[in-house]
PDB file of all heavy atoms in Angstrom:
ATOM      1  N   PRO A  18      50.757 135.159  12.821  1.00 51.00           N
ATOM      2  CA  PRO A  18      49.557 135.563  12.140  1.00 51.00           C
ATOM      3  C   PRO A  18      48.564 134.480  11.844  1.00 51.00           C
ATOM      4  O   PRO A  18      49.084 133.458  11.520  1.00 51.00           O
ATOM      5  CB  PRO A  18      50.027 136.365  10.943  1.00 51.00           C
ATOM      6  CG  PRO A  18      51.330 135.813  10.669  1.00 51.00           C
ATOM      7  CD  PRO A  18      51.938 135.429  11.997  1.00 51.00           C
ATOM      8  N   PRO A  19      47.209 134.668  12.079  1.00 56.00           N
ATOM      9  CA  PRO A  19      46.243 133.577  11.696  1.00 56.00           C
ATOM     10  C   PRO A  19      46.246 133.356  10.132  1.00 56.00           C
ATOM     11  O   PRO A  19      46.664 134.172   9.381  1.00 56.00           O
ATOM     12  CB  PRO A  19      44.934 134.164  12.214  1.00 56.00           C
ATOM     13  CG  PRO A  19      45.098 135.633  12.139  1.00 56.00           C
ATOM     14  CD  PRO A  19      46.609 135.831  12.447  1.00 56.00           C
ATOM     15  N   GLY A  20      45.764 132.137   9.746  1.00 65.00           N
ATOM     16  CA  GLY A  20      45.594 131.777   8.417  1.00 65.00           C
ATOM     17  C   GLY A  20      44.516 132.586   7.762  1.00 65.00           C
ATOM     18  O   GLY A  20      43.775 133.094   8.239  1.00 65.00           O
ATOM     19  N   PHE A  21      44.322 132.242   6.296  1.00 64.00           N
ATOM     20  CA  PHE A  21      43.194 132.857   5.475  1.00 64.00           C
ATOM     21  C   PHE A  21      41.835 132.483   6.008  1.00 64.00           C
ATOM     22  O   PHE A  21      40.988 133.356   6.121  1.00 64.00           O
ATOM     23  CB  PHE A  21      43.340 132.568   3.999  1.00 64.00           C
ATOM     24  CG  PHE A  21      42.382 133.092   3.143  1.00 64.00           C
ATOM     25  CD1 PHE A  21      42.344 134.409   2.825  1.00 64.00           C
ATOM     26  CD2 PHE A  21      41.411 132.351   2.668  1.00 64.00           C
ATOM     27  CE1 PHE A  21      41.460 135.075   1.982  1.00 64.00           C
ATOM     28  CE2 PHE A  21      40.359 132.873   1.869  1.00 64.00           C
ATOM     29  CZ  PHE A  21      40.332 134.152   1.456  1.00 64.00           C
ATOM     30  N   ALA A  22      41.659 131.157   6.220  1.00 69.00           N
ATOM     31  CA  ALA A  22      40.365 130.782   6.654  1.00 69.00           C
ATOM     32  C   ALA A  22      39.990 131.386   8.028  1.00 69.00           C
ATOM     33  O   ALA A  22      38.843 131.759   8.223  1.00 69.00           O
ATOM     34  CB  ALA A  22      40.359 129.220   6.879  1.00 69.00           C
ATOM     35  N   GLN A  23      41.039 131.490   8.986  1.00 73.00           N
ATOM     36  CA  GLN A  23      40.729 132.160  10.226  1.00 73.00           C
ATOM     37  C   GLN A  23      40.368 133.545   9.998  1.00 73.00           C
ATOM     38  O   GLN A  23      39.486 134.165  10.627  1.00 73.00           O
ATOM     39  CB  GLN A  23      41.836 132.066  11.169  1.00 73.00           C
ATOM     40  CG  GLN A  23      42.248 130.559  11.515  1.00 73.00           C
ATOM     41  CD  GLN A  23      43.450 130.466  12.295  1.00 73.00           C
ATOM     42  OE1 GLN A  23      44.124 131.481  12.545  1.00 73.00           O
ATOM     43  NE2 GLN A  23      43.692 129.176  12.914  1.00 73.00           N
ATOM     44  N   ARG A  24      41.028 134.211   9.074  1.00 74.00           N
ATOM     45  CA  ARG A  24      40.614 135.645   8.798  1.00 74.00           C
ATOM     46  C   ARG A  24      39.238 135.787   8.255  1.00 74.00           C
ATOM     47  O   ARG A  24      38.477 136.785   8.709  1.00 74.00           O
ATOM     48  CB  ARG A  24      41.603 136.372   7.855  1.00 74.00           C
ATOM     49  CG  ARG A  24      43.171 136.484   8.430  1.00 74.00           C
ATOM     50  CD  ARG A  24      44.004 137.150   7.393  1.00 74.00           C
ATOM     51  NE  ARG A  24      45.312 137.275   7.896  1.00 74.00           N
ATOM     52  CZ  ARG A  24      46.285 137.873   7.221  1.00 74.00           C
ATOM     53  NH1 ARG A  24      46.031 138.260   5.912  1.00 74.00           N
ATOM     54  NH2 ARG A  24      47.585 137.967   7.734  1.00 74.00           N
ATOM     55  N   VAL A  25      38.963 134.879   7.449  1.00 69.00           N
ATOM     56  CA  VAL A  25      37.549 135.061   6.796  1.00 69.00           C
ATOM     57  C   VAL A  25      36.503 134.801   7.777  1.00 69.00           C
ATOM     58  O   VAL A  25      35.457 135.417   7.972  1.00 69.00           O
ATOM     59  CB  VAL A  25      37.438 133.855   5.706  1.00 69.00           C
ATOM     60  CG1 VAL A  25      35.963 133.871   5.266  1.00 69.00           C
ATOM     61  CG2 VAL A  25      38.295 134.355   4.487  1.00 69.00           C
ATOM     62  N   MET A  26      36.774 133.800   8.759  1.00 74.00           N
ATOM     63  CA  MET A  26      35.801 133.494   9.840  1.00 74.00           C
ATOM     64  C   MET A  26      35.702 134.703  10.799  1.00 74.00           C
ATOM     65  O   MET A  26      34.592 134.830  11.407  1.00 74.00           O
ATOM     66  CB  MET A  26      36.282 132.198  10.577  1.00 74.00           C
ATOM     67  CG  MET A  26      36.208 130.942   9.736  1.00 74.00           C
ATOM     68  SD  MET A  26      34.605 130.622   9.118  1.00 74.00           S
ATOM     69  CE  MET A  26      33.664 130.359  10.684  1.00 74.00           C
ATOM     70  N   GLY A  27      36.747 135.600  10.894  1.00 72.00           N
ATOM     71  CA  GLY A  27      36.662 136.650  11.796  1.00 72.00           C
ATOM     72  C   GLY A  27      36.086 137.795  11.232  1.00 72.00           C
ATOM     73  O   GLY A  27      35.959 138.847  11.915  1.00 72.00           O
ATOM     74  N   LEU A  28      35.736 137.852   9.928  1.00 73.00           N
ATOM     75  CA  LEU A  28      35.002 139.009   9.312  1.00 73.00           C
ATOM     76  C   LEU A  28      33.595 139.140   9.771  1.00 73.00           C
ATOM     77  O   LEU A  28      32.971 138.082  10.014  1.00 73.00           O
ATOM     78  CB  LEU A  28      35.087 138.887   7.730  1.00 73.00           C
ATOM     79  CG  LEU A  28      36.511 138.988   7.210  1.00 73.00           C
ATOM     80  CD1 LEU A  28      36.509 138.686   5.582  1.00 73.00           C
ATOM     81  CD2 LEU A  28      37.105 140.328   7.490  1.00 73.00           C
ATOM     82  N   PRO A  29      33.068 140.246   9.662  1.00 78.00           N
ATOM     83  CA  PRO A  29      31.607 140.577   9.979  1.00 78.00           C
ATOM     84  C   PRO A  29      30.860 139.737   8.903  1.00 78.00           C
ATOM     85  O   PRO A  29      31.247 139.477   7.879  1.00 78.00           O
ATOM     86  CB  PRO A  29      31.492 142.054   9.960  1.00 78.00           C
ATOM     87  CG  PRO A  29      32.914 142.598  10.093  1.00 78.00           C
ATOM     88  CD  PRO A  29      33.778 141.567   9.550  1.00 78.00           C
ATOM     89  N   MET A  30      29.482 139.549   9.144  1.00 78.00           N
ATOM     90  CA  MET A  30      28.641 138.837   8.299  1.00 78.00           C
ATOM     91  C   MET A  30      28.466 139.623   7.038  1.00 78.00           C
ATOM     92  O   MET A  30      28.426 138.919   5.948  1.00 78.00           O
ATOM     93  CB  MET A  30      27.373 138.641   8.950  1.00 78.00           C
ATOM     94  CG  MET A  30      26.268 137.812   8.156  1.00 78.00           C
ATOM     95  SD  MET A  30      26.867 136.264   7.570  1.00 78.00           S
ATOM     96  CE  MET A  30      27.052 135.481   9.317  1.00 78.00           C
ATOM     97  N   GLN A  31      28.410 140.832   7.019  1.00 79.00           N
ATOM     98  CA  GLN A  31      28.200 141.573   5.713  1.00 79.00           C
ATOM     99  C   GLN A  31      29.379 141.511   4.836  1.00 79.00           C
ATOM    100  O   GLN A  31      29.314 141.416   3.603  1.00 79.00           O
ATOM    101  CB  GLN A  31      27.945 143.107   6.064  1.00 79.00           C
ATOM    102  CG  GLN A  31      27.759 143.913   4.879  1.00 79.00           C
ATOM    103  CD  GLN A  31      27.380 145.427   5.223  1.00 79.00           C
ATOM    104  OE1 GLN A  31      27.581 145.736   6.388  1.00 79.00           O
ATOM    105  NE2 GLN A  31      27.106 146.278   4.284  1.00 79.00           N
ATOM    106  N   ARG A  32      30.637 141.326   5.388  1.00 78.00           N
ATOM    107  CA  ARG A  32      31.845 141.253   4.611  1.00 78.00           C
ATOM    108  C   ARG A  32      31.841 139.866   4.003  1.00 78.00           C
ATOM    109  O   ARG A  32      32.330 139.648   2.790  1.00 78.00           O
ATOM    110  CB  ARG A  32      33.091 141.503   5.445  1.00 78.00           C
ATOM    111  CG  ARG A  32      33.299 142.964   5.849  1.00 78.00           C
ATOM    112  CD  ARG A  32      33.739 143.785   4.717  1.00 78.00           C
ATOM    113  NE  ARG A  32      33.943 145.215   5.192  1.00 78.00           N
ATOM    114  CZ  ARG A  32      35.215 145.533   5.642  1.00 78.00           C
ATOM    115  NH1 ARG A  32      36.117 144.655   5.785  1.00 78.00           N
ATOM    116  NH2 ARG A  32      35.341 146.790   5.883  1.00 78.00           N
ATOM    117  N   LYS A  33      31.409 138.944   4.871  1.00 74.00           N
ATOM    118  CA  LYS A  33      31.415 137.527   4.268  1.00 74.00           C
ATOM    119  C   LYS A  33      30.481 137.370   3.049  1.00 74.00           C
ATOM    120  O   LYS A  33      30.878 136.803   2.166  1.00 74.00           O
ATOM    121  CB  LYS A  33      30.966 136.561   5.425  1.00 74.00           C
ATOM    122  CG  LYS A  33      31.932 136.369   6.513  1.00 74.00           C
ATOM    123  CD  LYS A  33      31.381 135.434   7.543  1.00 74.00           C
ATOM    124  CE  LYS A  33      32.378 135.192   8.807  1.00 74.00           C
ATOM    125  NZ  LYS A  33      31.772 134.348   9.754  1.00 74.00           N
ATOM    126  N   LEU A  34      29.330 138.026   3.227  1.00 81.00           N
ATOM    127  CA  LEU A  34      28.391 137.989   2.152  1.00 81.00           C
ATOM    128  C   LEU A  34      28.877 138.618   0.801  1.00 81.00           C
ATOM    129  O   LEU A  34      28.668 138.183  -0.275  1.00 81.00           O
ATOM    130  CB  LEU A  34      27.005 138.583   2.406  1.00 81.00           C
ATOM    131  CG  LEU A  34      26.266 137.944   3.681  1.00 81.00           C
ATOM    132  CD1 LEU A  34      25.018 138.701   3.982  1.00 81.00           C
ATOM    133  CD2 LEU A  34      25.841 136.532   3.032  1.00 81.00           C
ATOM    134  N   MET A  35      29.538 139.764   0.925  1.00 82.00           N
ATOM    135  CA  MET A  35      30.248 140.492  -0.217  1.00 82.00           C
ATOM    136  C   MET A  35      31.200 139.675  -0.854  1.00 82.00           C
ATOM    137  O   MET A  35      31.393 139.557  -2.030  1.00 82.00           O
ATOM    138  CB  MET A  35      30.678 141.699   0.186  1.00 82.00           C
ATOM    139  CG  MET A  35      29.600 142.778   0.679  1.00 82.00           C
ATOM    140  SD  MET A  35      30.406 144.324   1.382  1.00 82.00           S
ATOM    141  CE  MET A  35      31.183 144.940  -0.076  1.00 82.00           C
ATOM    142  N   LEU A  36      32.156 138.940   0.005  1.00 78.00           N
ATOM    143  CA  LEU A  36      33.110 138.046  -0.570  1.00 78.00           C
ATOM    144  C   LEU A  36      32.559 136.879  -1.136  1.00 78.00           C
ATOM    145  O   LEU A  36      32.933 136.547  -2.251  1.00 78.00           O
ATOM    146  CB  LEU A  36      33.948 137.608   0.618  1.00 78.00           C
ATOM    147  CG  LEU A  36      35.179 136.700   0.264  1.00 78.00           C
ATOM    148  CD1 LEU A  36      36.162 137.421  -0.646  1.00 78.00           C
ATOM    149  CD2 LEU A  36      35.962 136.252   1.451  1.00 78.00           C
ATOM    150  N   ALA A  37      31.520 136.346  -0.731  1.00 80.00           N
ATOM    151  CA  ALA A  37      30.825 135.085  -1.357  1.00 80.00           C
ATOM    152  C   ALA A  37      30.245 135.477  -2.685  1.00 80.00           C
ATOM    153  O   ALA A  37      30.252 134.847  -3.671  1.00 80.00           O
ATOM    154  CB  ALA A  37      29.707 134.526  -0.423  1.00 80.00           C
ATOM    155  N   GLY A  38      29.584 136.777  -2.693  1.00 82.00           N
ATOM    156  CA  GLY A  38      29.039 137.242  -3.978  1.00 82.00           C
ATOM    157  C   GLY A  38      29.977 137.389  -5.123  1.00 82.00           C
ATOM    158  O   GLY A  38      29.892 137.112  -6.179  1.00 82.00           O
ATOM    159  N   GLY A  39      31.239 138.062  -4.680  1.00 82.00           N
ATOM    160  CA  GLY A  39      32.278 138.269  -5.647  1.00 82.00           C
ATOM    161  C   GLY A  39      32.775 137.037  -6.189  1.00 82.00           C
ATOM    162  O   GLY A  39      33.144 136.879  -7.419  1.00 82.00           O
ATOM    163  N   ILE A  40      32.997 135.978  -5.384  1.00 83.00           N
ATOM    164  CA  ILE A  40      33.419 134.679  -5.890  1.00 83.00           C
ATOM    165  C   ILE A  40      32.393 134.037  -6.868  1.00 83.00           C
ATOM    166  O   ILE A  40      32.917 133.526  -7.896  1.00 83.00           O
ATOM    167  CB  ILE A  40      33.698 133.655  -4.675  1.00 83.00           C
ATOM    168  CG1 ILE A  40      35.048 134.322  -3.827  1.00 83.00           C
ATOM    169  CG2 ILE A  40      34.174 132.329  -5.117  1.00 83.00           C
ATOM    170  CD1 ILE A  40      35.239 133.463  -2.501  1.00 83.00           C
ATOM    171  N   ALA A  41      31.183 134.195  -6.467  1.00 84.00           N
ATOM    172  CA  ALA A  41      30.109 133.557  -7.274  1.00 84.00           C
ATOM    173  C   ALA A  41      30.064 134.296  -8.645  1.00 84.00           C
ATOM    174  O   ALA A  41      29.903 133.654  -9.678  1.00 84.00           O
ATOM    175  CB  ALA A  41      28.770 133.672  -6.571  1.00 84.00           C
ATOM    176  N   ALA A  42      30.266 135.558  -8.607  1.00 84.00           N
ATOM    177  CA  ALA A  42      30.271 136.362  -9.971  1.00 84.00           C
ATOM    178  C   ALA A  42      31.444 135.893 -10.795  1.00 84.00           C
ATOM    179  O   ALA A  42      31.300 135.825 -12.069  1.00 84.00           O
ATOM    180  CB  ALA A  42      30.385 137.909  -9.641  1.00 84.00           C
ATOM    181  N   ILE A  43      32.553 135.692 -10.279  1.00 87.00           N
ATOM    182  CA  ILE A  43      33.722 135.222 -11.022  1.00 87.00           C
ATOM    183  C   ILE A  43      33.463 133.905 -11.574  1.00 87.00           C
ATOM    184  O   ILE A  43      33.751 133.650 -12.878  1.00 87.00           O
ATOM    185  CB  ILE A  43      35.034 135.162 -10.127  1.00 87.00           C
ATOM    186  CG1 ILE A  43      35.385 136.546  -9.680  1.00 87.00           C
ATOM    187  CG2 ILE A  43      36.110 134.529 -10.904  1.00 87.00           C
ATOM    188  CD1 ILE A  43      36.497 136.559  -8.654  1.00 87.00           C
ATOM    189  N   PHE A  44      32.819 132.924 -10.980  1.00 81.00           N
ATOM    190  CA  PHE A  44      32.512 131.680 -11.526  1.00 81.00           C
ATOM    191  C   PHE A  44      31.456 131.744 -12.568  1.00 81.00           C
ATOM    192  O   PHE A  44      31.516 131.114 -13.619  1.00 81.00           O
ATOM    193  CB  PHE A  44      31.867 130.744 -10.372  1.00 81.00           C
ATOM    194  CG  PHE A  44      33.056 130.073  -9.527  1.00 81.00           C
ATOM    195  CD1 PHE A  44      33.312 130.361  -8.353  1.00 81.00           C
ATOM    196  CD2 PHE A  44      33.821 129.081 -10.077  1.00 81.00           C
ATOM    197  CE1 PHE A  44      34.329 129.858  -7.604  1.00 81.00           C
ATOM    198  CE2 PHE A  44      34.828 128.400  -9.533  1.00 81.00           C
ATOM    199  CZ  PHE A  44      35.097 128.779  -8.127  1.00 81.00           C
ATOM    200  N   VAL A  45      30.484 132.620 -12.457  1.00 82.00           N
ATOM    201  CA  VAL A  45      29.446 132.870 -13.588  1.00 82.00           C
ATOM    202  C   VAL A  45      30.132 133.484 -14.810  1.00 82.00           C
ATOM    203  O   VAL A  45      29.749 132.910 -15.863  1.00 82.00           O
ATOM    204  CB  VAL A  45      28.249 133.713 -12.977  1.00 82.00           C
ATOM    205  CG1 VAL A  45      27.408 134.260 -14.158  1.00 82.00           C
ATOM    206  CG2 VAL A  45      27.524 133.123 -11.937  1.00 82.00           C
ATOM    207  N   ILE A  46      30.972 134.377 -14.752  1.00 84.00           N
ATOM    208  CA  ILE A  46      31.634 134.943 -15.829  1.00 84.00           C
ATOM    209  C   ILE A  46      32.406 133.827 -16.450  1.00 84.00           C
ATOM    210  O   ILE A  46      32.476 133.658 -17.740  1.00 84.00           O
ATOM    211  CB  ILE A  46      32.499 136.220 -15.464  1.00 84.00           C
ATOM    212  CG1 ILE A  46      31.554 137.158 -14.955  1.00 84.00           C
ATOM    213  CG2 ILE A  46      33.421 136.613 -16.501  1.00 84.00           C
ATOM    214  CD1 ILE A  46      32.425 138.426 -14.284  1.00 84.00           C
TER     215      ILE A  46
END
């Protein structure tokens, strides 16, 4: 099975944006 980075790179652009927004929200909190 591919690694986490490979899975993220394989996601659609919309999924990537949602994931980035969630990580940014965690840092802000």
Side-chain angles (χ1 to χ4, degrees):
F21 178 76
Q23 295 177 353
R24 291 183 180 181
V25 173
M26 295 301 295
L28 292 175
M30 182 57 66
Q31 185 177 3
R32 293 286 184 87
K33 291 180 181 179
L34 294 176
M35 292 176 62
L36 181 61
I40 295 175
I43 293 174
F44 277 107
V45 169
I46 295 174

